[in-house]
Amino acid sequence: MSKEKKRMAFGYALVMPAFLVVMLVVAWPIVTAVQKSFTDPETGGFTFDNYLYFFTDPNQLKNIFFTMFVCFATVAIAIVVAYLLALYLRFVKSPVARLIGNLYLIPRFVPSLVAVYAMITIIRDSGLINRISLLFGADVKLGMMYHASGMITMNLWFNIPFAALMITAGLGAIPDSIIEGARDVGATKWKTFTSMILPLSYKDVVVASTFVFMSNVGSFTTPYLMGGNAPKMLGIALFDQFNKYLRYERAAALSVIMFLICSVSAAVYIYTNLKEKDWEH
Amino acid sequence: MIECKGVNDMEEKILTNETVKSAAPDRVIKLQIKDMTKKYDNGDGVEHIDLDIYEGEIVTMLGPSGCGKSTILRTIGGFLDVTSGDIQIDGKSIVNLPPEKRPTAMVFQSYNLWPHMTVYENLAFGLKLRKTPKDEMDREIKRHLEMVGISGMETKYPSQLSGGQQQRVAIARSLLLKPSVLLLDEPFSALDAKIRQQMREEVKKIQSELGITIVFVTHDQEEAMALSHRIVVMNKGKFEQVGTPSEIYDNPASRYVASFIGEMNFIPQADGSTMAVRPEEVFLVKDGEACDMSGTIRTIMLLGHYVETNVQCGENVIKCYVQREDIEGVNVGDKVNLKFAKHHVF
Ligand SMILES: Nc1ncnc2c1ncn2[C@@H]1O[C@H](COP(=O)(O)OP(=O)(O)OP(=O)(O)O)[C@@H](O)[C@H]1O
Ligand SMILES: [Mg+2]
């Protein structure tokens, strides 16, 4: 064997384990799931019924719209809050800012189940907030349990630190001198923000948005513990098809639908990452 | 080691340490720094800075890296708050104004073009803020790009330009706004010698055409000498001397200034002081004539119309610039006598 060939063989040998694992646990299940989603459970023949069910049944349609609503609301609020937090961390140099800069990632280290239960004890109608309000003679019932607002609040807990981490990294890459230069030629703080900071960090915002969106489309723990019976998040609807109704073909179809929803977001991510602007060379 | 007479009974020629007021009394003060101190949290910074800069003057801050040149410039531009003291332009304090409200424009040491804007957009940004009409804007941008020698690059992005080109765009960008005080922080550091020379001429020309006041920062003494009406020599956050280039060259106020500007021989004296002599003030004299030192020739280098020679006098090596005809027939190893036309003692 020539030296060149040996080197290539060695390269393939390094890649092979990862390749096999990916084929086995990712590609293969996807192929079988897609196959199953087009299979009629009775006849075993080809059918679109499994898909049609989710787009015609009013309850399932509601689930899809509800999931989209929760995801978009989470993305919008998480990104705005994270952006403000990242701006604060980037531009304010004070001990408080430094402290927050060190602490804001802590939610990422709390196991999700623990965090969800903690949130429930606070916001449920007999929870901490209710009890504090009773001390002041009011009986505040937030009504956030089994409601979109509770789930969105919980999602924010998970996603704001994550989005802030990504955006902070992006803002950190903008040198002070760019901002000083803008101020020097007469730009106000607001104008500097809109003409310099925003265009230079918008890519990180898009990337953070797609990640937050994708992680919420298939979320399960939070909707399982905090979500209502109807409408449901798609993660729960999928669980029902699989565990309650044992409709494996429909479960497969719903998986594919969720995958497609995510892939729109993935496409946005890949597009913004690939589309290098002229100035980035 | 000093074999011949003369050093001690030679008249002391120049010993004045006071700075001569360079500007005529009727000139208008444009920029005034009054007992300004800027301390960073770690204690670095500049202290008790006093400086008057006149309208239409080019004043250069000259000093080694880390001596506080940029710090002073950034306090004038408004990018650093002063710890104490005051800065005035046209008699009005500017220390509480944000950068965008100050009549200054700055070219930063890191030529900070905006990476997501083309050269045209970089130049247009400030003009747009001033609501300049489009046709006038186009004209001005074209004219300024021509002036700094990079016409036709309007549509390029900064990352597609060389360091020198970026620096020239940065200079054009600040000139375009016709600031009444222009702050330049080592604006030519990325340019090669020839373009550097051109840009110096350009800055001088622009300055006299527009009548603007320029505060220039450099650690290149040659650049400072070539460009400035007055030079401020800095050392570790303080001013060592303020004066015209010839004052500073001819009458350095301290040993530090003498060593920083131009070439200088330092000769330790018996009384602990140091005598300083410029190489061009050293002459070779014949045996028997009055001389200050004597020694043997170590090296002779022809540098065009003059010759640089190093003479070993005891433990000291004296550098001399002499005319070619004066060293005719003298070889390495020969004994020579030296006479100093002018010297300083520190
Ligand atoms: N943001 C800062 N925080 C703390 N110290 C600083 C800061 N900026 C500068 N310094 C310190 O202040 C001193 C003066 O810095 P300055 O940037 O003014 O030097 P300079 O004369 O411009 O040097 P150079 O020729 O290298 O640009 C240095 O000792 C530097 O380490
Ligand atoms: Mg500097």
Side-chain angles (χ1 to χ4, degrees), chain B residues 84-197:
Chain B
S84 66
D86 197 19
I87 301 172
Q88 298 184 346
I89 288 181
D90 296 329
K92 283 194 242 21
S93 175
I94 55 164
V95 288
N96 293 320
L97 297 179
E100 68 266 24
K101 294 266 171 62
R102 299 192 184 196
T104 56
M106 182 152 167
V107 173
F108 291 76
Q109 197 167 357
S110 56
Y111 21 100
N112 56 336
L113 300 179
W114 301 305
H116 58 301
M117 296 183 181
T118 60
V119 168
Y120 180 91
E121 288 164 343
N122 263 279
L123 296 188
F125 185 72
L127 292 175
K128 276 186 192 148
L129 290 173
R130 285 163 183 69
K131 309 233 170 349
T132 312
K134 177 90 169 91
D135 53 336
E136 189 189 330
M137 198 157 78
D138 287 347
R139 229 182 11 252
E140 283 292 288
I141 289 174
K142 196 160 182 300
R143 195 168 71 80
H144 279 82
L145 285 178
E146 265 163 30
M147 195 166 71
V148 296
I150 43 171
S151 311
M153 299 215 172
E154 284 89 337
T155 55
K156 289 201 172 185
Y157 286 94
S159 58
Q160 299 164 334
L161 302 177
S162 74
Q165 290 168 335
Q166 290 183 40
Q167 228 162 23
R168 283 186 269 172
V169 176
I171 293 166
R173 186 175 72 181
S174 43
L175 284 176
L176 200 58
L177 302 175
K178 302 191 174 64
S180 73
V181 176
L182 180 61
L183 309 170
L184 300 168
D185 195 348
E186 308 201 18
F188 308 148
S189 58
L191 306 180
D192 56 42
K194 188 154 165 274
I195 299 174
R196 203 178 251 254
Q197 201 108 33

Side-chain angles (χ1 to χ4, degrees), chain A residues 26-82:
Chain A
V26 180
W28 176 245
I30 288 177
V31 171
T32 50
V34 171
Q35 208 179 21
K36 186 157 242 152
S37 70
F38 289 109
T39 309
D40 188 321
E42 255 92 84
T43 65
F46 180 88
T47 176
F48 283 115
D49 286 352
N50 301 321
Y51 286 95
L52 281 175
Y53 168 70
F54 289 102
F55 292 113
T56 49
D57 182 78
N59 286 328
Q60 294 297 350
L61 267 178
K62 263 189 211 145
N63 289 347
I64 291 177
F65 287 124
F66 180 69
T67 304
M68 298 306 270
F69 167 73
V70 169
C71 287
F72 278 118
T74 301
V75 168
I77 301 170
I79 293 296
V80 168
V81 174

Side-chain angles (χ1 to χ4, degrees), chain B residues 64-71 73-74 109 185-186 217 219:
Chain B
S65 188
C67 70
K69 306 180 296 290
S70 296
T71 303
L73 217 58
R74 292 168 63 80
Q109 197 167 357
D185 195 348
E186 308 201 18
V217 162
H219 56 246

Side-chain angles (χ1 to χ4, degrees), chain A residues 175-189 191-192 194-197 199-200 277-281, chain B residues 74 77 79 98-100 104-108 110 112-117 125-126 129-130 157 159-160 173 177:
Chain A
D176 280 340
S177 64
I178 283 185
I179 291 146
E180 289 173 343
R183 303 291 301 280
D184 192 49
V185 303
T188 55
K189 284 186 176 167
K191 183 75 189 163
T192 307
T194 56
S195 332
M196 305 291 156
I197 299 168
L200 288 170
K277 299 254 183 49
D278 291 339
W279 56 271
E280 279 166 339
H281 290 294
Chain B
R74 292 168 63 80
F79 305 108
E100 68 266 24
T104 56
M106 182 152 167
V107 173
F108 291 76
S110 56
N112 56 336
L113 300 179
W114 301 305
H116 58 301
M117 296 183 181
F125 185 72
L129 290 173
R130 285 163 183 69
Y157 286 94
S159 58
Q160 299 164 334
R173 186 175 72 181
L177 302 175

